[in-house]
Amino acid sequence: MIKIYHNKQCSKSCAALDFLQEHTVDLQVQEYLEEVPSKAELIEILSQLGLKPLALIRKNEALFLEKFQHLQLTDEEWVEVMLQNPILIERPIVIKDGKAVIGRPLERVIELFTPRSS
């Protein structure tokens, strides 16, 4: 099962979704602005990405610049900010076999499908 947290208004997210639809049949699409991840789900995504919450926030987003850029919050507080303002979550996020990537650029998504040599 491959899952994409998708924003249909984002060209990068649409490009990732197009790639996934061409290369997999077992795909789950979650439009995260309409179906916001749960707190537990967001924490799991961060773990799979290997990122702190602040690293998953879109810092060029107008909302961030207006309300949050000067704040010093804890990781848990940043998670709450993303849950209350999902537009701030970087996109797209693609999860395959317990590994997640932010699909910007698209090559990161493609790498999920590339077998690794050991």
Side-chain angles (χ1 to χ4, degrees):
M1 167 67 73
I2 296 171
K3 184 169 188 174
I4 181 172
Y5 292 87
H6 175 60
N7 177 345
K8 60 187 172 190
Q9 302 300 317
C10 173
S11 63
K12 301 288 188 193
S13 191
C14 289
L17 180 59
D18 289 345
F19 173 83
L20 293 171
Q21 288 173 329
E22 291 174 13
H23 292 87
T24 186
V25 292
D26 198 8
L27 177 63
Q28 180 183 359
V29 179
Q30 181 169 334
E31 293 188 17
Y32 69 92
L33 294 179
E34 297 168 17
E35 185 185 341
V36 180
S38 68
K39 183 175 184 178
E41 192 177 1
L42 185 56
I43 290 169
E44 178 66 18
I45 291 166
L46 287 162
S47 173
Q48 290 173 321
L49 287 166
L51 295 177
K52 293 281 207 175
L54 187 57
L56 189 58
I57 291 180
R58 297 174 50 81
K59 293 169 193 71
N60 291 329
E61 190 69 43
L63 178 63
F64 179 82
L65 296 171
E66 293 167 12
K67 293 182 72 174
F68 300 104
Q69 74 173 335
H70 299 296
L71 299 181
Q72 298 292 321
L73 302 177
T74 66
D75 286 351
E76 187 164 328
E77 289 170 326
W78 283 121
V79 167
E80 289 300 325
V81 166
M82 286 187 279
L83 293 172
Q84 297 300 315
N85 305 279
I87 191 70
L88 294 177
I89 300 172
E90 190 61 76
R91 62 194 181 243
I93 299 168
V94 178
I95 301 173
K96 178 179 185 271
D97 299 332
K99 180 169 172 39
V101 296
I102 298 171
R104 299 167 85 87
L106 181 59
E107 287 72 25
R108 290 183 180 164
V109 176
I110 294 168
E111 288 172 3
L112 284 175
F113 289 81
T114 305
R116 297 176 190 219
S117 54
S118 25

